[in-house]
Amino acid sequence: MSEANAITVDVVSDVVCPWCFIGQKRLDKAVAAAGDVEVHIRWRPFQLDPTIPPQGKDRRDYMLAKFGGDERIREIHARIEPLGEAEGISFAFDAIKVAPNTLDAHRLIRWAGAAGEDVQNRLVRRLFQLNFEEGVNIGDHTVLIEAAREAGMDSSVVETLLPSDADVEAVRTEIATASRMGITGVPCFLLEGKYAVMGAQDADTLADAIRQVAAAKARGELEKAD
């Protein structure tokens, strides 16, 4: 396919955001529905709560403090679960015991991007699955190392890098940049670095946006932003 018929979608998301998991599934459908548009996906970091300590917090206590009661939490989960089911997601909220800090997960996603678009996509999908469908603590380095291996990364390199400060500031800077751009909630889909689609929009809406931006690019009506 020609470069003129290819666009980049930067997905600003957090791997503990259920709407981001739903958004990932819908984006997959949108890419498939976008016809002959070649879509390159890059995952960008966002933290719903950067104040969570590195070891994480008890998720039930965290949710109670955030939402005020079991009934409210059940209402939130009950609203999300059928939407997930429609996208092939089996949310297992009760299985999640730890609310993790996702900084290390985002560092890993960044390194996966350097290994290739397909590697990064596999890793992000696996992290969503681990957290939401298997209730695994994705703040745990052992979990992250295994996820990296499954995605096709060099797990020995990851094992060396994770305990260090490698790319900590780079990820934090990228999150700060998203905030300066006005991104206060996720997912946010940035098409060609210029057009933003906010929230877990349905696949048809995303596909339409992809086609429109690709057409504008093909007509030479936009310059790609870095």
Side-chain angles (χ1 to χ4, degrees):
M1 295 182 190
S2 69
E3 184 62 30
N5 208 35
I7 73 164
T8 297
V9 178
D10 289 288
V11 188
V12 184
S13 78
D14 197 358
V15 281
V16 291
C17 165
W19 296 105
C20 294
F21 195 5
I22 291 170
Q24 175 257 304
K25 295 287 191 179
R26 290 176 177 175
L27 178 60
D28 282 353
K29 289 181 179 178
V31 170
D36 60 352
V37 179
E38 183 179 340
V39 182
H40 298 287
I41 298 170
R42 298 186 298 197
W43 293 89
R44 301 297 193 184
F46 189 91
Q47 283 194 284
L48 293 178
D49 189 349
T51 69
I52 294 176
Q55 69 272 19
K57 289 184 175 181
D58 178 273
R59 184 177 185 271
R60 185 171 183 278
D61 291 346
Y62 177 75
M63 294 291 283
L64 285 171
K66 187 173 183 178
F67 295 109
D70 282 322
E71 185 176 347
R72 176 71 178 129
I73 295 168
R74 280 194 296 270
E75 286 174 3
I76 292 166
H77 289 168
R79 186 160 58 97
I80 295 171
E81 283 165 355
L83 295 173
E85 190 175 344
E87 305 299 338
I89 300 170
S90 298
F91 280 114
F93 290 114
D94 289 344
I96 306 171
K97 303 305 180 188
V98 176
N101 183 299
T102 56
L103 181 63
D104 286 342
H106 286 303
R107 292 166 67 211
L108 184 60
I109 291 167
R110 181 183 180 90
W111 302 332
E117 184 179 336
D118 289 344
V119 174
Q120 190 181 53
N121 277 317
R122 282 196 299 270
L123 176 69
V124 170
R125 284 158 176 72
R126 186 62 183 131
L127 292 176
F128 277 135
Q129 289 172 347
L130 286 166
N131 182 68
F132 285 113
E133 297 186 316
E134 300 176 30
V136 176
N137 177 12
I138 56 171
D140 184 302
H141 283 191
T142 304
V143 170
L144 292 175
I145 291 163
E146 176 60 18
R149 187 193 64 75
E150 291 177 7
M153 299 174 69
D154 187 332
S155 58
S156 62
V157 172
V158 172
E159 192 170 1
T160 301
L161 288 175
L162 272 176
S164 75
D165 289 332
D167 285 325
V168 168
E169 286 310 312
V171 169
R172 284 179 174 154
T173 297
E174 209 171 338
I175 292 169
T177 298
S179 294
R180 282 199 303 274
M181 291 172 66
I183 298 172
T184 57
V186 287
C188 175
F189 304 91
L190 292 172
L191 284 65
E192 284 295 295
K194 286 182 173 292
Y195 300 96
V197 178
M198 301 295 299
Q201 301 291 335
D202 62 74
D204 288 344
T205 298
L206 285 169
D208 188 50
I210 287 168
R211 283 190 291 262
Q212 287 189 39
V213 172
K217 183 180 179 183
R219 293 192 299 266
E221 293 175 2
L222 58 96
E223 291 183 12
K224 186 176 175 186
D226 292 329

